[in-house]
Amino acid sequence: PATNAPSQTVADVNTMQYTITCATYSAGQAMLWVKVAGYSLAGTGTLSGTLASRCSAAPDTPATPTVVSSSATQITVGWTAPTTTELHNALHQGYKVSFDDGAGGPFTTVTLTDNLQVQYTKTGLSAGQTYRFRVQYL
């Protein structure tokens, strides 16, 4: 809609967060495009950048990553890119790859924002250790 006829307004000037529920829109609507602007008696401010959002369930859990290659000091793991069905039509933003310290310790997580990247190489490993990896869709 035009900026002078917004589809949603927030009356409380102290509101820093606003929720648009998925039930407000038809399931057939592919995307919600959101822009924000301040409005007063002086007029409408500059619009923010556009946020594209889709109402969907959380993505499915991906299959366990597999070893692509390894050496005494590094390992490359791979996984399959998610299908639209696995994502429940959500926007695919990349992956979170988590790995432990090789001694059963806590996991460290890296975020990969390239949604076409389906491998990750961890370097600086110690020979003879068992490392655990897991992948999450974003």
Side-chain angles (χ1 to χ4, degrees):
T3 60
N4 62 354
S7 59
Q8 300 286 329
T9 58
V10 179
D12 182 353
V13 297
N14 296 311
T15 300
M16 298 302 287
Q17 179 177 332
Y18 183 75
T19 302
I20 300 172
T21 61
C22 292
T24 306
Y25 298 92
S26 70
Q29 186 168 351
M31 300 292 293
L32 297 177
W33 303 93
V34 180
K35 287 187 175 188
V36 178
Y39 178 77
S40 72
L41 293 176
T44 302
T46 304
L47 286 170
S48 68
T50 303
L51 169 68
S53 183
R54 186 185 298 263
C55 290
S56 63
D60 291 344
T61 301
T64 303
T66 58
V67 175
V68 174
S69 64
S70 65
S71 70
T73 60
Q74 71 179 36
I75 186 169
T76 299
V77 295
W79 55 88
T80 304
T83 65
T84 302
T85 302
E86 291 170 321
L87 290 171
H88 300 282
N89 293 320
L91 294 174
H92 186 209
Q93 302 286 325
Y95 305 94
K96 283 187 179 181
V97 179
S98 301
F99 49 88
D100 73 355
D101 60 2
F107 281 85
T108 299
T109 301
V110 295
T111 300
L112 309 175
T113 56
D114 179 355
N115 60 10
L116 299 176
Q117 182 176 347
V118 292
Q119 292 185 353
Y120 177 76
T121 300
K122 173 68 179 135
T123 60
L125 306 180
S126 300
Q129 299 282 31
T130 299
Y131 293 88
R132 298 176 296 163
F133 287 82
R134 58 186 178 208
V135 174
Q136 177 184 359
Y137 302 139
L138 295 178

Coordinates of all heavy atoms in Angstrom, one line a residue, residues 43-113:
G43 N 4.1 14.8 8.9 CA 4.2 14.0 7.7 C 4.8 12.6 8.0 O 5.0 12.2 9.1
T44 N 5.1 11.9 6.9 CA 5.6 10.5 7.0 C 7.2 10.6 6.8 O 7.6 11.2 5.9 CB 5.0 9.6 6.0 OG1 3.6 9.6 6.2 CG2 5.6 8.2 6.1
G45 N 7.9 9.9 7.7 CA 9.3 9.9 7.6 C 9.8 8.9 6.5 O 9.0 8.3 5.7
T46 N 11.1 8.8 6.3 CA 11.7 7.9 5.3 C 11.4 6.5 5.6 O 11.5 6.1 6.8 CB 13.2 8.2 5.2 OG1 13.4 9.5 5.0 CG2 13.8 7.3 4.1
L47 N 11.0 5.7 4.6 CA 10.8 4.3 4.8 C 12.1 3.5 5.1 O 13.1 3.8 4.5 CB 10.1 3.7 3.6 CG 8.6 4.0 3.4 CD1 8.1 3.6 2.0 CD2 7.8 3.4 4.5
S48 N 12.0 2.5 5.9 CA 13.1 1.6 6.2 C 13.3 0.8 5.0 O 12.6 0.8 4.0 CB 12.8 0.7 7.4 OG 11.7 -0.2 7.0
G49 N 14.4 0.0 5.0 CA 14.6 -1.1 4.0 C 13.5 -2.1 4.1 O 12.7 -2.1 5.1
T50 N 13.3 -2.9 3.1 CA 12.3 -3.9 3.1 C 12.7 -5.2 3.7 O 13.8 -5.7 3.5 CB 11.9 -4.3 1.6 OG1 11.5 -3.0 1.0 CG2 10.8 -5.3 1.5
L51 N 11.8 -5.8 4.6 CA 12.0 -7.1 5.2 C 11.1 -8.0 4.5 O 9.9 -7.8 4.6 CB 11.8 -7.0 6.7 CG 11.7 -8.3 7.4 CD1 13.1 -9.0 7.4 CD2 11.2 -8.2 8.8
A52 N 11.6 -9.1 3.9 CA 10.7 -10.1 3.3 C 10.6 -11.2 4.4 O 11.6 -11.7 4.9 CB 11.4 -10.6 2.1
S53 N 9.4 -11.6 4.6 CA 9.1 -12.7 5.6 C 8.1 -13.6 5.1 O 7.2 -13.2 4.3 CB 8.7 -12.0 6.9 OG 8.5 -13.0 7.9
R54 N 8.1 -14.8 5.5 CA 7.1 -15.8 5.1 C 6.6 -16.5 6.4 O 7.4 -16.9 7.2 CB 7.8 -16.8 4.2 CG 7.0 -17.9 3.6 CD 7.8 -18.9 2.8 NE 8.5 -18.4 1.7 CZ 8.1 -18.4 0.4 NH1 6.9 -18.9 0.1 NH2 8.8 -17.9 -0.5
C55 N 5.4 -16.7 6.5 CA 4.8 -17.4 7.6 C 5.0 -18.9 7.3 O 4.5 -19.4 6.3 CB 3.3 -17.1 7.8 SG 3.0 -15.4 8.3
S56 N 5.7 -19.6 8.2 CA 5.9 -21.0 8.0 C 6.3 -21.6 9.3 O 6.7 -21.0 10.3 CB 7.0 -21.3 7.0 OG 8.2 -20.7 7.4
A57 N 6.3 -23.0 9.3 CA 6.8 -23.7 10.5 C 8.3 -23.7 10.5 O 8.9 -23.4 9.5 CB 6.2 -25.1 10.4
A58 N 8.9 -24.1 11.6 CA 10.3 -24.2 11.7 C 10.8 -25.3 10.7 O 10.1 -26.2 10.5 CB 10.8 -24.5 13.1
P59 N 12.0 -25.1 10.1 CA 12.5 -26.1 9.2 C 12.7 -27.4 9.9 O 12.9 -27.5 11.1 CB 13.9 -25.5 8.7 CG 13.8 -24.1 9.0 CD 12.9 -23.9 10.2
D60 N 12.7 -28.5 9.1 CA 13.0 -29.8 9.6 C 14.4 -29.9 10.1 O 15.3 -29.1 9.7 CB 12.7 -30.9 8.6 CG 11.2 -31.1 8.2 OD1 10.4 -30.6 9.0 OD2 11.0 -31.7 7.2
T61 N 14.7 -30.9 10.9 CA 16.1 -31.2 11.3 C 16.8 -31.9 10.2 O 16.3 -32.9 9.6 CB 16.2 -32.1 12.5 OG1 15.4 -31.4 13.6 CG2 17.6 -32.3 13.0
P62 N 18.0 -31.3 9.7 CA 18.7 -32.0 8.6 C 19.3 -33.3 9.0 O 19.4 -33.6 10.2 CB 19.8 -31.0 8.3 CG 19.8 -30.0 9.3 CD 18.6 -30.1 10.2
A63 N 19.6 -34.1 8.0 CA 20.3 -35.4 8.3 C 21.7 -35.1 8.9 O 22.2 -34.0 8.8 CB 20.4 -36.2 7.0
T64 N 22.2 -36.1 9.6 CA 23.5 -36.0 10.2 C 24.6 -35.7 9.1 O 24.5 -36.4 8.0 CB 23.9 -37.3 10.9 OG1 22.9 -37.5 11.9 CG2 25.3 -37.2 11.6
P65 N 25.5 -34.8 9.3 CA 26.5 -34.5 8.3 C 27.4 -35.7 8.1 O 27.6 -36.5 9.0 CB 27.2 -33.3 8.8 CG 26.9 -33.1 10.2 CD 25.6 -33.9 10.4
T66 N 28.0 -35.8 6.9 CA 28.9 -36.9 6.6 C 30.3 -36.4 6.4 O 30.5 -35.2 6.0 CB 28.4 -37.7 5.3 OG1 28.3 -36.8 4.2 CG2 27.0 -38.3 5.6
V67 N 31.3 -37.3 6.5 CA 32.7 -36.9 6.3 C 32.9 -36.9 4.8 O 32.7 -37.9 4.2 CB 33.6 -37.9 7.1 CG1 35.1 -37.5 6.7 CG2 33.4 -37.8 8.6
V68 N 33.4 -35.8 4.3 CA 33.8 -35.7 2.9 C 35.2 -36.0 2.7 O 35.6 -36.8 1.8 CB 33.5 -34.3 2.4 CG1 34.0 -34.1 0.9 CG2 32.0 -33.9 2.5
S69 N 36.1 -35.5 3.6 CA 37.5 -35.8 3.6 C 38.1 -35.5 5.0 O 37.5 -34.7 5.8 CB 38.3 -35.0 2.5 OG 38.2 -33.6 2.8
S70 N 39.2 -36.1 5.3 CA 39.9 -35.8 6.6 C 41.4 -36.0 6.5 O 41.8 -36.8 5.6 CB 39.2 -36.6 7.7 OG 39.5 -38.0 7.5
S71 N 42.1 -35.4 7.4 CA 43.5 -35.7 7.6 C 43.8 -35.6 9.1 O 42.9 -35.5 9.9 CB 44.3 -34.6 6.8 OG 44.2 -33.4 7.5
A72 N 45.0 -35.7 9.5 CA 45.4 -35.6 10.9 C 45.0 -34.3 11.6 O 44.8 -34.2 12.8 CB 46.9 -35.9 11.1
T73 N 44.9 -33.2 10.8 CA 44.6 -31.9 11.4 C 43.4 -31.2 10.9 O 43.1 -30.1 11.3 CB 45.8 -31.0 11.1 OG1 46.0 -30.9 9.7 CG2 47.1 -31.5 11.7
Q74 N 42.6 -31.8 10.0 CA 41.4 -31.2 9.5 C 40.4 -32.2 9.1 O 40.7 -33.3 8.8 CB 41.7 -30.2 8.4 CG 42.1 -30.8 7.1 CD 42.3 -29.8 6.0 OE1 42.8 -28.7 6.3 NE2 42.0 -30.1 4.8
I75 N 39.1 -31.8 9.0 CA 38.0 -32.6 8.6 C 37.0 -31.7 7.8 O 36.8 -30.6 8.2 CB 37.3 -33.4 9.7 CG1 36.3 -34.4 9.2 CG2 36.7 -32.4 10.7 CD1 35.8 -35.3 10.2
T76 N 36.5 -32.2 6.7 CA 35.5 -31.6 5.9 C 34.2 -32.4 6.0 O 34.3 -33.6 5.7 CB 35.9 -31.4 4.5 OG1 37.1 -30.6 4.4 CG2 34.8 -30.7 3.7
V77 N 33.2 -31.8 6.5 CA 31.9 -32.5 6.6 C 30.9 -31.9 5.5 O 31.1 -30.7 5.2 CB 31.2 -32.4 8.0 CG1 32.1 -33.1 9.0 CG2 31.0 -31.0 8.4
G78 N 30.0 -32.6 5.1 CA 29.0 -32.2 4.1 C 27.6 -32.6 4.5 O 27.4 -33.5 5.3
W79 N 26.7 -32.0 3.9 CA 25.3 -32.2 4.1 C 24.5 -31.9 2.8 O 25.0 -31.3 1.9 CB 24.7 -31.4 5.3 CG 25.0 -29.9 5.1 CD1 24.1 -29.0 4.5 CD2 26.1 -29.2 5.5 NE1 24.7 -27.8 4.5 CE2 25.9 -27.9 5.1 CE3 27.3 -29.5 6.2 CZ2 26.8 -26.9 5.4 CZ3 28.2 -28.5 6.4 CH2 28.0 -27.2 6.0
T80 N 23.2 -32.3 2.8 CA 22.4 -32.1 1.7 C 21.6 -30.8 1.8 O 21.1 -30.5 2.9 CB 21.4 -33.2 1.5 OG1 22.1 -34.4 1.4 CG2 20.5 -33.1 0.3
A81 N 21.5 -30.0 0.8 CA 20.8 -28.7 0.9 C 19.3 -29.0 1.1 O 18.8 -30.1 0.6 CB 20.9 -27.9 -0.4
P82 N 18.6 -28.2 1.9 CA 17.2 -28.5 2.2 C 16.3 -28.3 1.0 O 16.5 -27.5 0.1 CB 16.9 -27.5 3.3 CG 17.8 -26.4 3.0 CD 19.1 -27.0 2.5
T83 N 15.2 -29.1 1.0 CA 14.2 -28.9 0.0 C 13.2 -27.9 0.5 O 13.1 -27.6 1.7 CB 13.5 -30.2 -0.3 OG1 12.8 -30.6 0.9 CG2 14.4 -31.3 -0.8
T84 N 12.3 -27.4 -0.4 CA 11.3 -26.5 0.0 C 10.4 -27.1 1.1 O 9.9 -26.5 2.0 CB 10.4 -26.0 -1.2 OG1 11.3 -25.4 -2.1 CG2 9.3 -25.1 -0.8
T85 N 10.1 -28.4 0.9 CA 9.3 -29.2 1.9 C 10.0 -29.2 3.2 O 9.3 -29.0 4.2 CB 9.1 -30.6 1.4 OG1 8.4 -30.5 0.1 CG2 8.2 -31.4 2.3
E86 N 11.3 -29.5 3.3 CA 12.0 -29.5 4.6 C 12.0 -28.2 5.2 O 12.1 -28.1 6.5 CB 13.4 -30.0 4.4 CG 13.5 -31.5 4.0 CD 14.9 -31.9 3.5 OE1 15.6 -31.1 2.8 OE2 15.3 -33.0 3.9
L87 N 12.0 -27.1 4.4 CA 12.0 -25.7 5.0 C 10.6 -25.3 5.3 O 10.5 -24.2 5.9 CB 12.7 -24.8 4.0 CG 14.2 -24.9 3.7 CD1 14.6 -24.1 2.6 CD2 14.9 -24.6 5.0
H88 N 9.6 -26.0 4.9 CA 8.2 -25.6 5.1 C 8.0 -24.2 4.5 O 7.3 -23.3 5.1 CB 7.8 -25.6 6.6 CG 8.0 -26.9 7.2 ND1 7.0 -27.9 7.1 CD2 8.9 -27.5 8.0 CE1 7.4 -29.0 7.7 NE2 8.6 -28.8 8.3
N89 N 8.6 -24.0 3.4 CA 8.5 -22.8 2.6 C 9.1 -21.6 3.3 O 8.9 -20.4 2.9 CB 7.0 -22.4 2.2 CG 6.5 -23.4 1.3 OD1 7.1 -23.9 0.3 ND2 5.2 -23.9 1.5
A90 N 9.9 -21.8 4.3 CA 10.6 -20.7 5.0 C 11.8 -20.2 4.0 O 12.2 -20.9 3.2 CB 11.2 -21.1 6.3
L91 N 12.2 -18.9 4.3 CA 13.3 -18.4 3.5 C 14.6 -19.1 4.1 O 14.8 -19.1 5.3 CB 13.4 -16.9 3.8 CG 12.3 -16.0 3.2 CD1 12.4 -14.6 3.6 CD2 12.3 -16.1 1.7
H92 N 15.4 -19.6 3.2 CA 16.6 -20.3 3.6 C 17.7 -19.2 3.7 O 18.1 -18.5 2.7 CB 17.0 -21.3 2.5 CG 18.2 -22.1 2.9 ND1 19.0 -22.7 2.0 CD2 18.7 -22.5 4.1 CE1 20.0 -23.4 2.6 NE2 19.8 -23.2 3.9
Q93 N 18.2 -19.0 4.9 CA 19.2 -18.0 5.2 C 20.6 -18.5 5.4 O 21.6 -17.8 5.6 CB 18.8 -17.3 6.5 CG 17.4 -16.7 6.4 CD 17.4 -15.4 5.6 OE1 18.3 -14.7 5.5 NE2 16.3 -15.2 4.9
G94 N 20.8 -19.9 5.3 CA 22.1 -20.4 5.5 C 22.1 -21.6 6.5 O 21.1 -22.3 6.6
Y95 N 23.2 -21.8 7.2 CA 23.3 -22.9 8.1 C 24.1 -22.5 9.4 O 24.8 -21.5 9.4 CB 24.2 -24.0 7.5 CG 23.6 -24.5 6.2 CD1 24.1 -24.0 5.0 CD2 22.7 -25.5 6.1 CE1 23.6 -24.4 3.7 CE2 22.2 -25.9 4.9 CZ 22.7 -25.4 3.7 OH 22.2 -25.8 2.5
K96 N 23.8 -23.2 10.5 CA 24.7 -23.2 11.6 C 25.3 -24.5 11.7 O 24.7 -25.6 11.7 CB 23.8 -23.0 12.9 CG 23.4 -21.5 13.1 CD 22.7 -21.4 14.5 CE 22.3 -19.9 14.6 NZ 21.7 -19.7 16.0
V97 N 26.7 -24.5 11.8 CA 27.4 -25.8 11.9 C 28.0 -25.7 13.3 O 28.7 -24.8 13.7 CB 28.5 -25.9 10.8 CG1 29.3 -27.1 11.0 CG2 27.9 -25.8 9.4
S98 N 27.8 -26.8 14.1 CA 28.3 -26.9 15.4 C 29.3 -28.1 15.5 O 29.0 -29.1 14.8 CB 27.2 -27.1 16.4 OG 26.3 -26.0 16.4
F99 N 30.3 -27.9 16.3 CA 31.3 -29.0 16.4 C 31.9 -28.9 17.8 O 31.9 -27.9 18.5 CB 32.5 -28.9 15.4 CG 33.0 -27.5 15.3 CD1 34.1 -27.1 16.1 CD2 32.5 -26.6 14.4 CE1 34.6 -25.8 16.1 CE2 33.1 -25.3 14.3 CZ 34.1 -24.9 15.2
D100 N 32.3 -30.1 18.4 CA 32.8 -30.1 19.7 C 34.4 -30.0 19.7 O 35.0 -29.9 18.6 CB 32.3 -31.3 20.5 CG 32.9 -32.6 20.1 OD1 33.7 -32.7 19.1 OD2 32.6 -33.6 20.8
D101 N 35.0 -30.1 20.9 CA 36.4 -29.9 21.0 C 37.2 -31.2 20.8 O 38.4 -31.3 21.0 CB 36.8 -29.3 22.3 CG 36.3 -30.1 23.5 OD1 35.8 -31.3 23.3 OD2 36.5 -29.7 24.6
G102 N 36.5 -32.3 20.5 CA 37.2 -33.6 20.3 C 37.4 -34.4 21.5 O 37.9 -35.5 21.5
A103 N 36.9 -33.8 22.7 CA 37.0 -34.5 24.0 C 35.7 -34.6 24.6 O 35.6 -34.7 25.8 CB 38.0 -33.8 24.8
G104 N 34.6 -34.5 23.8 CA 33.3 -34.5 24.3 C 32.8 -33.3 25.0 O 31.8 -33.3 25.7
G105 N 33.6 -32.2 24.8 CA 33.3 -30.9 25.4 C 32.1 -30.2 24.8 O 31.4 -30.7 23.9
P106 N 32.0 -28.9 25.1 CA 30.8 -28.1 24.6 C 31.0 -27.9 23.1 O 32.1 -27.9 22.5 CB 30.9 -26.8 25.3 CG 32.3 -26.7 25.8 CD 32.8 -28.1 26.0
F107 N 29.9 -27.6 22.4 CA 29.9 -27.3 21.0 C 30.2 -25.8 20.7 O 29.8 -25.0 21.5 CB 28.6 -27.7 20.4 CG 28.4 -29.1 20.1 CD1 27.9 -30.0 21.1 CD2 28.6 -29.7 18.8 CE1 27.7 -31.3 20.8 CE2 28.4 -31.0 18.6 CZ 28.0 -31.8 19.6
T108 N 30.9 -25.6 19.7 CA 31.2 -24.2 19.1 C 30.4 -24.2 17.8 O 30.3 -25.1 17.1 CB 32.7 -24.0 18.8 OG1 33.4 -24.2 20.1 CG2 32.9 -22.6 18.2
T109 N 29.7 -23.0 17.6 CA 28.9 -22.9 16.4 C 29.4 -21.8 15.5 O 29.8 -20.7 16.0 CB 27.4 -22.6 16.9 OG1 27.0 -23.6 17.7 CG2 26.5 -22.4 15.7
V110 N 29.4 -22.0 14.2 CA 29.7 -21.0 13.2 C 28.5 -20.9 12.3 O 27.7 -21.8 12.1 CB 30.9 -21.4 12.3 CG1 32.2 -21.4 13.2 CG2 30.7 -22.7 11.6
T111 N 28.2 -19.7 11.9 CA 27.1 -19.4 11.0 C 27.6 -19.2 9.6 O 28.5 -18.4 9.3 CB 26.3 -18.1 11.5 OG1 25.9 -18.4 12.8 CG2 25.1 -17.9 10.6
L112 N 27.0 -20.0 8.7 CA 27.3 -19.9 7.2 C 26.1 -19.2 6.5 O 25.0 -19.8 6.5 CB 27.6 -21.2 6.6 CG 28.6 -22.1 7.4 CD1 28.7 -23.5 6.7 CD2 30.0 -21.4 7.4
T113 N 26.3 -18.0 6.0 CA 25.2 -17.3 5.4 C 25.0 -17.6 3.9 O 24.1 -17.1 3.3 CB 25.3 -15.8 5.6 OG1 26.6 -15.4 5.1 CG2 25.3 -15.4 7.1

